[in-house]
Structures are given as structure tokens and as C-alpha cells.
Amino acid sequence: MDAIPYLAGASALLGLLLAGFFFKNVKAADPGDDRMVFLMTEIQKGARAFLKKEYSWVSVFVVAMAILIAALIAPAAAVTYVIGATLSALAGYVGMAAATMANARTTQAAKEGPGKALSVAFRGGAVMGFSVAGLALLGLMGVYIVFVLVLQVDDAFEVVTAYGLGASSIALFSRVGGGIYTKAADVGADLVGKVEAGIPEDDPRNPATIADNVGDNVGDVAGMGADLFESYAGSILAPISLVAFALGLGAEQASAVTNISLLSFPMAIAFAGMLASIIGSFFVKGSTSTDTKALSKALHMGTNVAMGLAALATVGIAYWLFGDNDAFDNPLGLAIAVIGGLVIGWALGKTAEFYTSDHYSPVRKIASQTETGPATTILGGISTGMVSVAASVVLLGIGVAVAYWGGEMAFDKIGALEGGIYGIAVAAIGMLATTGMVVSVDAYGPIADNAGGIAQMAKLDPSVREVTDALDSLGNTTAAVAKGFAVGSAALTALALFKSFEFAVIAAGGSLSLNVGEVDVFIGLFLGAMLPFLFAALTIDAVGRAAQKMIEEVRRQFREIPGLREGVEGVHPDSARCVAISTTASLKEMIIPGSLAVVIPLVLGFISVDVLGGFLAGALVTGFCLAIFMANAGGAWDNAKKYIEAGHHGGKGSDCHKAAVVGDTVGDPFKDTSGPAMNILIKVMTIVSLACRCLLTFDLAPISRLRSAATASFKVSRRFPN
């Protein structure tokens, strides 16, 4: 068992080696003619410029937080915080580099058919997938080995937890900033290009086309990668923190037999999941058909193999770690909890697929509603998203119940640690055990989308665009599936971190109440329920403001550049201007929403820990529901549009198509900006509360002390009036 952190770190290195192998494989592929290479290079330049500016801005926040953490928690915690932030940013940059290299190569491969193109796009996505999983796991294991096992520093587990806080900081700003960028460009390109000018999507005449393609990479690749980096690291950290804070462990107690089993189990699952993902990646083989069902089967084969292998390995690991320990009743219970999480994650993904794929009735119903205009189209998408929440909540409830039952089967209670709560914590790892494959499949989507854009801008044969459109349609579904995994794991991880926070407050001499009859808790619940709506409003409004600037610029260029709208030979749009507009607007707009997740928990905790407890609970529930609603509604609108573009309900250019474009425009910030950021929001607030618990105890909150003193004085005055 002592070797498990080292084995997990070794598996992370194998994942990174596989990412390097896929990178070389994609680089060796043919990028196409000069025009395609030029377009690829322009997208690369725009993406690199954005990430450079974004990371420069975020680095100021990271440095400020590191100083605060060093002063209030420990210098070592500041170090791990910076490590988490740096590795998360690195994973996003590497993934972006691979995606912007794979797009033109996917377009060229599409000339040979969908099988070849799918293979190139998947391998480009796999660079992102295994970079995210490999760097996240390697960094976490390195921090654990150094600060817990080797140095045995004071407050060792607080130091390890700060790694997750660093990852969360980058994830939140990357998701919000990248999401605002990509949707501002997308909305601007669609409304002026498709609706007003009546030109095709990704038309080279549209000044916003390059910016739109850049956005796919900075938002849906780099932003998504940072999101799942944080989710994956958080899912491993949550049970480790839970055990440490529940049992009051320091580094010196981590090697005790029972403690090491509980601490090592999540690392062992991560180890098995990484190996399973590596094996599964070689089972993805292209299909010769452009039918999305056939393509989906080929793409998901690797994920299914990885999940099966991870499930089998989990049973063996559970018996190995807990079978000979009398403190545990039935090790199979913990295997059930993990596998239950894995199955529920898969089921959440399948639910998302049902509501967002054009093979099923919800999307086709929205497509038929376009016949009566944009209003009914929007109503149909909203209804579909809301219905999907019900199914997802039921599935999550089943998953929590199974995980709790499995944990209780394994052990009743060890110290203050309940078996059921530990089961819920490790279930989150089950959902993300195969992160390498989940992210690979998700990152495939933006590459396919870019490939279609390059095919259009390079004026290739329509048969190439037919192949890339089929790949892109599947990509919308895979993105929704990945978001299902991410938000499901976020709910379970946040619950485990919340329990860790409760134990940490008690250990620091405070107390935490979740009795809704208490006014502090009641107020906190409503404040927490409100915040995801406020966060969504701010990010959607940010997209709207940035998109307005983009729309005005595109209109200006069509108006002022002679021959641009007509497509006169030799006349080109000023794409760099549009890239600059999206970059500047998105970076300015990300600051306030991103800061809320850090500032509000600190402010509320300073006032009252009970208010903070209610706040975290309220935000968890509404944040999960909003995330599901937005992701699935947006995905449904997008694929309804693509269903029409495939020739149904009048096809491209019809009134139905214009209505679908409006619906897709509404859905863009839902599915790619506000929705995906929700799962980060609920975890960031919880992990901030946990990492900074020393500020959030009742005894250290001046306002709480004043209130208590005032209350006591009032009671005395009533008993002894003058």
C-alpha cells in the first residue's frame, strides 16, 4: 500500500507518454494545401495570443491568492496552490496546441472518408485527454508524496488541498473567459452571416469566422481541459480530505494501517482508471459511414472498454486494500460505490445524448417547432432542457443512494468518518476514473468543428464538408456527454468537500448547523440558491455585450469593404480585428463572475459559518440543476439546427433554418459558457471554504462574536432591567 502513490504517479507518466505519441502521430499527418495550412496557422496564432493574454491576467490573481494562502494557511500550501494552477494552465495550452494542429489534418483526412478523419480528430483530442489526466494525477501524487510522505509538514492535508484550489482557480477563469470568447464570436458570426447576410456557416467572407474557430479552441479545448483537470483532481482529493479531516490526521498518522487503506483507495482507483483509459484509447477505430450512430459507436468503443476494465480492477483493489482489515465488514461495498458512480456517470451521459442527439425525439421535435418561428423554437429548447434536469436529478439521487449503501456495507463508522459518506466521496472518482478517455472524446468535437470551418473557407468539395458535418454533429453530443460526467462528479465531489469542511470547522473549535429552522442557515440557503442564477446572468450578459461589439464590427466590414459581401476575388475580411475584439471583451468580462466564487464564501464565512453552510448547500442544488438545464438545452438547439441543415424542414437558407439559428444563438452561451462553469463554481466555493477554514470558524469571526455578545447582552437586560 505504501507504493500506491508512486504507482499512480507512474501511470500518469504513461498517460503523458501516450499523449506525446498521439501528438507525433497527428503532426505526421498531411495538413493539406497551402490555403488550409494558412487557415490553420491563423487559428493557431489567434488561440495562442488569447491564452497568452488570459494567463497573464489570471497570473495576477494566482500570485495574490498565493500570498494570501502563504500568510493565512502555510507557505507550503502556497507552493501547492501554484503547482495546481500551473499544471492546469499547461494542460490547457498543450491541448490547444494539439487541437489547432489537428484541425486542418482532419479536413485533409476527410477527403479519404469519415474513418480516417475520425481517427485523426480523436488522436488530436487524445493529446488533450491524456495531458489533462496525466498532469493532474502526476501533480497531485507528487504533492502528496513530497509533503505528506517525505517532508511530513504541519497541516499536510491542508497543503495537499491547496493543490485543488489552484486547479480550480484556473478552471473557473478559463471556462468563463474562453466561453465568453467563443460564444461572442459564434453569435456574431451566425447572426450577421447566416441570418442577415444569408451566407453559409464558416464562409470566408465573414470577418468573424476565424475568431469563431479560435474560440472553439480556447473555450471548448483549453477551457474544457482546465475544467476536467480540476474535476479529476478534485474527485481524488475529496475522499482524501474527508478521511484526513474526519479522523484529524496529520502526516505522521497517514501510514497507520486503516488510515493508509482509506487514503490510498482513491489513488488506486485513479491508477486503474489511467491504465484502463490507455488501453481503451486503442479501441477507437474509424467508421466508413457518415451516419452519426455508426460514428458514435466507433468513438465510444474506447470509453466503454475503459469503463469495463476500470470496474473489474476496482473489485480487486477493494479486496486487496480492505479484505484483511477487521475494521471493514465487506470490501465489496466500496467497489459497489465506485462502480455505481461509474455507471451513473455513464447514465448521465446517455441522458444528455438522448436530449441532444438528432437521432431522438426531443431534438427532432425542436426542429419541427421551427416551422412556426423562433419563439416556439426557443420554448421547445427550454422545455427540453428542463425535462432533462428531472431525469438527471433522479439518476444522481440513485447514484448517491447506491454509493451510501455501498459505503455502509463496507464499514459503519471509523472515528467520525461514516462509511456512507466515504462511499459517496469515492463514487465521484468512479465517474471520472476514465478521465483520459472522457476528455479525449470531448476534445474531438472542437477539432471536428474546426475541420468543417477550414473545409468551407478553403472551398473544398462539398463531399468533404459532408464528412466534417457528420463528425461535428457527433461532437455536439460528445460534449454534452462529457458535461454530464463533469457536473455529476461535481455534485458528489462538492458533497464530500462539504463534509470535510464541516469536520474542519469542528476541529478548529467552531460548529456548523444546517437546521433550516435557524435564521442563519435559512438566509444562507436562499443566498446560495440565488448565486448560480446571478453567475449565469453575468456570464450570459457578458456574452451579449461582447457579441454586440462583434456584430457591429462584422456589419461595419460588410458595409465599408467594397466587394467583401459579394465575394470578389482578392477581397479579404479583417479577421484579426474580430479576434482582438473577442479577446479584449472576454478577458474584461471574466473578472467579476470569476471573482464571485472566491470572494463571497470568504465574506459570508467571516460573518457566520452557519450562513456559509446554508449558502454552499443552496448553491450545490441549484448549480447542478442549472448546469444540466443549460448544457442540454443548448446542445438540443444546436443539433436541431444541424438536423435542418442536413436537409430536413427545408434545409439551409429556409425560414426553419433561420429560426433554428436563433435558437442555437440563444443556446450558445447556455451550453458553452454559463452551463459548464456551474460545476466549477460549486466546487470552487466549497474548496475555498475548506482551504481557508481558519478564517471561517465561529470563534474567529468578529461579526459573529459581536452578534453573540449583543444577543447575550439583550438577554441579560431583559432579565435585569434598570
Side-chain angles (χ1 to χ4, degrees), residues 6-304:
Y6 298 93
L7 289 173
S11 71
L13 285 173
L14 286 176
L16 292 173
L17 288 173
L18 182 63
F21 168 77
F22 283 139
F23 187 90
K24 289 184 177 180
N25 190 275
V26 171
K27 190 176 181 179
D30 184 3
D33 58 35
D34 291 344
R35 176 61 178 168
M36 293 166 62
V37 171
F38 170 78
L39 293 168
M40 177 186 69
T41 304
E42 288 298 298
I43 295 169
Q44 286 176 332
K45 286 164 54 179
R48 287 171 182 165
F50 174 82
L51 285 187
K52 183 179 179 180
K53 285 189 177 182
E54 182 183 56
Y55 290 163
S56 297
W57 284 43
V58 175
S59 65
V60 177
F61 176 85
V62 170
V63 170
M65 281 293 296
I67 294 171
L68 186 66
I69 290 170
L72 299 176
I73 303 176
V79 173
T80 59
Y81 171 82
V82 172
I83 291 173
T86 301
L87 291 180
S88 178
L90 178 61
Y93 187 86
V94 170
M96 179 278 298
T100 54
M101 182 180 67
N103 49 19
R105 289 166 169 81
T106 301
T107 308
Q108 180 67 14
K111 296 177 181 179
E112 302 179 33
K116 180 72 172 179
L118 183 142
S119 179
V120 174
F122 169 75
R123 292 185 176 188
V127 176
M128 180 70 182
F130 288 97
S131 294
V132 165
L135 288 172
L137 184 57
L138 182 64
L140 181 55
M141 292 302 97
V143 166
Y144 187 89
I145 291 168
V146 172
F147 293 100
V148 177
L149 301 183
V150 178
L151 299 180
Q152 294 189 348
V153 299
D154 295 334
D155 299 322
F157 291 99
E158 287 92 330
V159 171
V160 174
T161 301
Y163 176 88
L165 181 58
S168 297
S169 299
I170 296 296
L172 186 62
F173 285 107
S174 291
R175 255 309 188 188
V176 173
I180 293 171
Y181 182 109
T182 184
K183 294 304 105 179
D186 197 2
V187 169
D190 282 356
L191 287 183
V192 183
K194 291 183 182 179
V195 178
E196 294 183 8
I199 60 178
E201 185 173 8
D202 298 318
D203 194 287
R205 291 171 290 174
N206 195 328
T209 295
I210 291 292
D212 185 16
N213 282 274
V214 170
D216 291 336
N217 294 283
V218 301
D220 298 337
V221 177
M224 176 274 301
D227 179 357
L228 285 169
F229 181 106
E230 183 270 341
S231 296
Y232 183 51
S235 71
I236 303 170
L237 271 172
I240 294 174
S241 299
L242 179 66
V243 171
F245 290 115
L247 303 182
L249 302 182
E252 63 278 2
Q253 291 94 35
S255 300
V257 175
T258 298
N259 297 342
I260 196 173
S261 297
L262 292 168
L263 292 170
S264 297
F265 186 60
M267 305 179 204
I269 299 302
F271 164 71
M274 179 66 76
L275 295 182
S277 295
I278 291 171
I279 295 170
S281 68
F282 292 98
F283 281 82
V284 177
K285 301 185 184 296
S287 170
T288 57
S289 172
T290 57
D291 180 68
T292 51
K293 278 190 175 181
L295 293 170
S296 177
K297 183 179 179 181
L299 188 61
H300 288 298
M301 178 61 70
T303 304
N304 296 335

Side-chain angles (χ1 to χ4, degrees), residues 340-341 343-345 347-348 351 388-404 424 427-428 431 484-493 495 620-621 623-625 628 682:
V343 172
I344 293 300
L348 285 170
T351 301
S388 73
V389 173
S392 299
V393 168
V394 169
L395 284 173
L396 184 68
I398 294 171
V400 169
V402 169
Y404 190 89
I424 292 172
M431 284 190 179
F485 272 95
V487 73
S489 69
L492 298 182
T493 299
L495 179 58
L620 170 60
V621 174
F624 174 82
C625 293
I628 293 292
I682 59 180

Side-chain angles (χ1 to χ4, degrees), residues 386-432:
M386 287 182 172
V387 169
S388 73
V389 173
S392 299
V393 168
V394 169
L395 284 173
L396 184 68
I398 294 171
V400 169
V402 169
Y404 190 89
W405 172 72
E408 284 199 320
M409 181 193 298
F411 66 95
D412 180 37
K413 201 169 186 179
I414 297 174
L417 179 64
E418 297 177 12
I421 297 298
Y422 183 77
I424 292 172
V426 296
I429 305 176
M431 284 190 179
L432 293 177

